[in-house]
Each structure stands twice: as structure tokens, then as C-alpha cells.
Amino acid sequence: PLPPKLGRPSELPPEPGPGYEGDEEFLRRLHHVLLELEVLEGSLQCPDSGRRFPISRGVPNLLLSEDEA
Amino acid sequence: AVARTPSRRPGMAEAEGDAGLEQGLGPAAEGAELAAVIGATVPTGFEQTAAEEVQEKLGSASRISRDRGKIYFEVPARSLPQVHRLRSVDNLFVVVQEFKDYQFKENKEEALKDLEDLVKKLPWTDPLKVWELNNSLKKKKTKRKKHNLQSPASREKPSDGGEEGGADQSTTNDQDCAQNSVAVEPTGGQDTENPQGVMARNGVEKEEEEEDNEPPDVKGEVQADSESGTKAGDGQTGEEEAKVLKFRVTCNRAGDKHSFASNEAARDFGGAVQEHFQWKADMTNFDVEVLLNIHNNEVVVGIALTEESLHRRNITHFGPTTLRSTLAYGMLRLCDPQPTDIIVDPMCGTGAIPIEGAAEWPCCYHIAGDNSPQAVKRAANNICSLLRKNESKDSSTALGVPLDVIQWDICSLPLRTGSVDIVVTDMPFGKRIGSKKKNWDLYPACLMEMGRICTPGTGRAVLLTQDKKCFAKALSRVGHIWRRAQTVWVNVGGLHAAVYLLRRTWERAEERRSFW
């Protein structure tokens, strides 16, 4: 099954809000994104550097290149 | 036969699923009521861990024998399905008799004659009932598997038997671990090559794979043919064909005071077994495998309940150094995973450890990583196989597995400082992967990085390595982060290795990297 595009603004807020531990609706959505969705093809982006790391067949490649290390 | 509903007992989970065990199985139903003394072979060094699993899942206490790599416990025979589901056990057998202090004659002929004479004095009846019950268990699974696949099982399986056990024997002075059969003249005439007999064995091979996720089929019908009926030594009537059982004897001998070799003991003991039961000797297509284990003055006679070792159960894609699942399980148990723990294997190879972890500790989250693209691909494939196994149960969505695979560099892990509860891994030995020289640099760097990601105070690591010198040196350099809590000496593919349980100190690691 194709996973939907992740990180849609309507699905999850950018940060957990105050008292998120008790917000069941939020927790369900978070659980879904964390444990029930699998990115098969895509990328992860580092929030600091902006560097993108590819995800291929479900496996992210987080190896740094020679000059990055 | 009377069908009985097995009563629930503490320590016995899932009893009702196994009710089908006793219905309509005839003589085998009596076997279910028996108390069986089970012997289990486990990875050397993990006897205690295995005993804990037995206590937890079966409610029985275990004895750990001096013959390393074996534990003994008593369970009602109806618990056999749960016994087969133990994850720390390589092979199982039912004990016929144990001799704590057997006096061997010094003269070879006399010593061997004593063993021959022993056969008719042994209490075979009940253990054979247990063996038969165990057989009927396997057949149910064979039939179910055949229904699922609709393909005739016709593969020839090379028998593995004693060789596996042999690799695990501690290297004592004088030791015979050869797997032996009886070199006996075939009894004249009747060579009824019963194809059903062969099927049972192939069925077992498949059974080993399916074991962990198929619940016993309560509706399993009884086969009308003769296989399940014949008992050696009993004048069994009422069957279409009286099937003669085929057997072999496997002898493991360790100790430097014996006057005979294991193959001689197997030969003579086997001869007496053949006399006594009128079974037919067969090295490869046997029904009954009689075990004769001799460790100094400790002698145990048993009947095998497993044919192929359980230790590769989760892995369909092998790599050059795939760790056996029973060892992976033992290592994981050692670090006592708690629900919600994050467990990381930063050098996962084919993923044996995280896969075992996700299967047995589904309330933890498991992360598998490796720098090698081949390793990562194999690990991902193994996980897919696991997912597919889960899928066959439910028609709709497959249950996910709390496990992810990432390609990464162990010296630069993309994980936040102090975010991981457990690090568990099989460190490169330098013989089959990498080199000893590389280990000198790799080990300290690994330990530092593993120390960084691990939660101070509560975190722990379980690390398997053969390069003990290098490891000890590396450990001495990171004493401010890791302290050694326990060491288990193990045998991995004939190599002497060690499993170190380390505890993370309370000292916080420096935040030296801003990249992540």
C-alpha cells in the first residue's frame, strides 16, 4: 500500500503542544505517523544543515560522504 | 481414546489451543498425561538464561548439567507445543534415563558390553509415548502446511543431527562428538520403503519455519493410515500395515577416562536397541533418534524431539556471519528489555538480533543499522519475510513489526545523545569480517559512540566479540562511560567468544557533534 505524503500540516502540528500527553487525538495521529506509516521512497532532511538523506526501499541512507565527515 | 479438555495451570499459556492434541489420537493421548523430563541443548554459556525462560513460560525449574550447553526440566507432556516455542533452545529431547555417576569398566569390551546390557533395562515406554505425542504434533503441522501450500514435500533433507551439537561441546581433553549411526547388518527381507515415513521428516523441516506463528489446528483430523499407530515393542494390532520403525543412535562422548570411542558406543548400543525393539537401522531416514550422551561419568539416554536445529528460525537471507537466533535471544534477555525501551543494533549484519528482538519483545522499539549496503538489504529482506509470515494469519492488513533498518556509520550515529536504552550487537571478529588491525581502531570508537547514544545510568549494552584482548583494552579506555557487569563465555561456530553485559555510568557524554 502506498503511504500518503507525510507531514501534511493538517495531520500534525510542527511541535507537540502543551499537555500533548493527554491529547488522545494527537497521540493517535502521532502513533500512526511514527509506527504505522513506512516511507518506501523519499528523503529525510536535516533541520540544521538542510542536507537531504535518501530513503530507498524503506531504508534511509544516513552515511556521510568523505568530505562531510 | 477419551478426549479431555486440558485444565489451565499457572505458567501454561495458550492451553486451549492445544486441546486438539488429545482428540482422537489413540495411544498418543495417554502420552499427554505423562510427566516428561525434557533435555534441551542451548548455546553454551546461556544455560541460566534458558532456565529463566523455561521458568517464565512453562513454570518449571531447570537443572543445569555439568555437560555444558544442556538444561533439564520436567513438564506435563501436553506442554510440548509450548516447549517447542522456547526461543533459547536449539534442540530438544525426552530423557529415557540419567546416570549421575556411571561406572565404566576399564576394559573396552566390558565397558561396551555394559552399555549393550543397559538397553533392555531402560524405561523406554513412557519416553516413547512422549516421542509419539511429539510426532503427532509435527504431523498436524505438516498437514496444515500442505493445505496452505498444496505442494508435495519431496525434498531430501541432509540430516544435521549430532554435528550441530558437536560444535558446541567444550573442548575437553579427549572428546568424541561425531555423529554416529549403527553399522548393523540389515535384517533380512522386508524393505518396505514407506514414502509416508519420508514425508514426516520433510514436514518437520517446514514445521521448524512455521512454528512461531501458526497456532495448533484444533480441527486437525486424524490420519487413518498406519503411521501414528505403531509402537515398538507393543504388539500393535488393528492397523493396516505394521510399520517397522527406523532408528539411529547418536553418541556424544567427552572425557579422558573412557576406554572406547563414541562410534563404538553408538554401534554397540545401537545393536542392542535393534535387538530389543526389532527396529531397522537407518542413518538418514530414521523415525527415532536415540541419543547417548556421555560426559565423564554422567550418562544420559534420550530420544530426540527435534530434527533440525531451531536456531535459524527467523532468518531466510543469510550472510557470511549470521548469528543464530537462540544466541541472539540469549543476548537480548541478558539486558532485560523493558516495555518502551529503545533497542539499537548498530552493526546488525543480516539483522538476526533486532529481528529476534522485535518478535519476542514487541513492546520495545528496535532499530537495526549497518554501513554495508548488502547487510542492510539482507536485513530488510529478512524483515519482509517476517512480515509475510504474519500476514498469512490475517487476511487484511499485516501487523507491523516495531523494527526499522537504517544504513549508517557506527562511528557517526544519527541518534540523539542519551536517547537509547539498550545497545546490543555482534561485534566484528576480525576473522570473517574486517581484520584484527581494524578492530584496534574500531572498538574504542564504537564504544565511545555507543556510550554517547545510550541513556546515562539506566542504559546497558550487550556485546558479543571474539577479539577479547582488543575489547578489554578498548573498554579500559572508556571506563568513565561503561562498566562491565557480567561476562558470558560462549562458543560461536567453534570459536571461543565472549558476551559482555555493560552498564552505562551516570556520566553524561559530551555533545561534541552538532551535525545531528
Side-chain angles (χ1 to χ4, degrees):
Chain A
L2 282 175
K5 188 160 173 238
L6 285 179
R8 286 180 290 190
S10 53
E11 282 234 351
L12 284 180
E15 294 243 344
Y20 73 89
E21 294 97 328
D23 183 351
E24 182 147 337
E25 182 55 46
F26 167 77
L27 289 174
R28 279 187 194 281
R29 285 199 229 116
L30 184 62
H31 178 268
H32 179 66
V33 171
L34 281 181
L35 296 173
E36 292 174 349
L37 285 184
E38 170 109 35
V39 177
L40 291 175
E41 300 293 326
S43 65
L44 288 172
Q45 184 172 38
C46 171
D48 286 338
S49 68
R51 207 293 212 179
R52 282 188 180 279
F53 294 88
I55 302 173
S56 171
R57 301 170 81 174
V59 179
N61 184 343
L62 289 146
L63 289 173
L64 301 174
S65 63
E66 285 290 310
D67 27 291
E68 282 171 316
Chain B
V2 180
R4 287 179 246 230
T5 329
S7 52
R8 280 274 189 159
R9 281 184 229 177
M12 279 174 56
E14 307 157 71
E16 75 271 319
D18 306 319
L21 206 67
E22 294 162 351
Q23 288 165 11
L25 285 176
E30 308 165 39
E33 299 313 301
L34 295 171
V37 177
I38 305 290
T41 54
V42 304
T44 322
F46 281 98
E47 295 89 351
Q48 189 54 44
T49 321
E52 284 169 21
E53 192 195 7
V54 169
Q55 180 66 59
E56 183 187 295
K57 295 184 179 170
L58 297 167
S60 298
S62 300
R63 266 179 302 118
I64 298 169
S65 78
R66 270 169 293 152
D67 183 6
R68 299 180 70 212
K70 290 192 183 63
I71 65 168
Y72 297 92
F73 53 91
E74 192 171 302
V75 287
R78 71 162 64 85
S79 299
L80 277 176
Q82 288 98 288
V83 174
H84 279 284
R85 283 194 282 266
L86 291 169
R87 301 191 87 102
S88 49
V89 164
D90 286 320
N91 277 303
L92 294 164
F93 57 94
V94 54
V95 174
V96 175
Q97 190 158 1
E98 282 179 77
F99 300 88
K100 296 277 168 41
D101 194 19
Y102 188 95
Q103 295 305 315
F104 287 101
K105 299 248 167 63
E106 281 188 26
N107 174 273
K108 175 167 27 175
E109 280 73 36
E110 289 176 26
L112 290 174
K113 179 82 172 53
D114 280 350
L115 284 176
E116 285 181 40
D117 292 343
L118 194 57
V119 173
K120 53 185 179 286
K121 300 182 212 162
L122 293 170
W124 295 97
T125 320
D126 284 356
L128 279 169
K129 286 188 184 147
V130 173
W131 166 83
E132 191 161 327
L133 186 63
N134 188 70
N135 251 23
S136 60
L137 259 187
K138 293 190 232 172
K139 282 187 193 109
K140 277 175 167 299
K141 291 194 175 181
T142 310
K143 284 205 323 293
R144 210 175 335 114
K145 179 77 182 180
K146 274 170 72 76
H147 282 148
N148 289 344
L149 292 189
Q150 288 174 335
S151 63
S154 57
R155 289 179 283 166
E156 263 310 296
K157 180 182 84 69
S159 66
D160 210 334
E163 271 111 34
E164 287 292 357
D168 289 342
Q169 296 297 320
S170 47
T171 39
T172 46
N173 244 347
D174 195 22
Q175 179 191 274
D176 261 291
C177 296
Q179 171 212 307
N180 297 285
S181 177
V182 180
V184 169
E185 300 302 301
T187 52
Q190 89 302 5
D191 197 338
T192 38
E193 242 315 305
N194 187 349
Q196 299 270 354
V198 178
M199 183 184 88
R201 215 144 358 271
N202 293 325
V204 168
E205 181 187 359
K206 289 184 199 281
E207 176 242 348
E208 303 292 8
E209 287 174 17
E210 290 302 317
E211 210 149 312
D212 296 313
N213 53 286
E214 288 201 0
D217 185 355
V218 182
K219 300 201 298 291
E221 325 99 282
V222 182
Q223 279 180 309
D225 64 14
S226 63
E227 264 217 287
S228 40
T230 315
K231 270 197 277 192
D234 289 3
Q236 188 67 14
T237 53
E239 312 290 358
E240 305 267 356
E241 344 151 14
K243 179 181 172 290
V244 173
L245 286 180
K246 292 185 261 192
F247 80 103
R248 80 171 183 194
V249 173
T250 301
C251 176
N252 287 308
R253 188 200 65 80
D256 47 9
K257 295 204 173 59
H258 303 130
S259 54
F260 55 87
S262 65
N263 61 320
E264 294 169 320
R267 177 198 64 206
D268 290 358
F269 194 79
V273 166
Q274 205 234 357
E275 259 311 302
H276 184 72
F277 291 110
Q278 294 299 299
W279 290 339
K280 194 169 131 87
D282 194 325
M283 177 80 163
T284 47
N285 294 334
F286 51 89
D287 303 302
V288 183
E289 181 173 21
V290 176
L291 305 169
L292 178 59
N293 292 328
I294 302 174
H295 186 260
N296 293 314
N297 283 22
E298 211 178 83
V299 175
V300 179
V301 179
I303 300 173
L305 297 175
T306 53
E307 281 179 47
E308 199 171 296
S309 228
L310 298 164
H311 55 96
R312 292 270 193 255
R313 60 178 164 250
N314 287 330
I315 305 296
T316 49
H317 292 77
F318 286 90
T321 55
T322 296
L323 193 71
R324 47 183 182 156
S325 306
T326 45
L327 197 47
Y329 177 83
M331 286 174 66
L332 282 159
R333 242 199 119 96
L334 211 55
C335 47
D336 191 24
Q338 296 301 305
T340 79
D341 275 350
I342 308 284
I343 305 180
V344 172
D345 183 349
M347 295 183 272
C348 67
T350 53
I353 299 174
I355 286 170
E356 185 70 22
E360 189 69 8
W361 286 273
C363 292
C364 298
Y365 198 81
H366 305 264
I367 305 177
D370 203 289
N371 63 350
S372 143
Q374 294 92 341
V376 148
K377 189 165 156 208
R378 283 198 190 109
N381 284 336
N382 284 325
I383 296 171
C384 283
S385 303
L386 191 65
L387 284 167
R388 260 181 270 124
K389 280 200 330 192
N390 290 344
E391 227 169 78
S392 55
K393 258 197 290 205
D394 297 303
S395 52
S396 52
T397 344
L399 280 174
V401 165
L403 170 54
D404 261 326
V405 184
I406 305 177
Q407 190 174 357
W408 65 28
D409 176 4
I410 172 107
C411 298
S412 184
L413 293 171
L415 295 167
R416 272 187 281 221
T417 300
S419 61
V420 169
D421 298 286
I422 296 172
V423 175
V424 52
T425 196
D426 174 3
M427 300 187 73
F429 281 1
K431 277 195 191 303
R432 285 198 271 186
I433 297 255
S435 67
K436 289 247 162 154
K437 183 170 182 296
K438 280 194 198 148
N439 287 354
W440 282 119
D441 301 320
L442 187 65
Y443 278 25
C446 281
L447 285 171
M448 283 299 296
E449 189 65 349
M450 295 193 286
R452 182 186 67 78
I453 61 168
C454 203
T455 317
T458 57
R460 52 259 189 237
V462 172
L463 311 172
L464 168 66
T465 180
Q466 199 234 344
D467 203 342
K468 302 177 284 271
K469 203 198 291 187
C470 185
F471 187 84
K473 181 168 183 203
L475 196 57
S476 66
R477 283 207 242 155
V478 294
H480 57 297
I481 299 191
W482 291 112
R483 56 185 171 80
R484 196 165 15 173
Q486 196 184 333
T487 308
V488 181
W489 304 102
V490 299
N491 193 309
V492 183
L495 302 171
H496 288 298
V499 171
Y500 297 95
L501 170 65
L502 306 177
R503 294 208 184 276
R504 183 66 175 78
T505 64
W506 285 100
E507 181 164 326
R508 294 190 171 285
E510 4 167 320
E511 289 280 356
R512 57 189 177 92
R513 204 186 330 275
S514 64
F515 197 94
W516 297 118

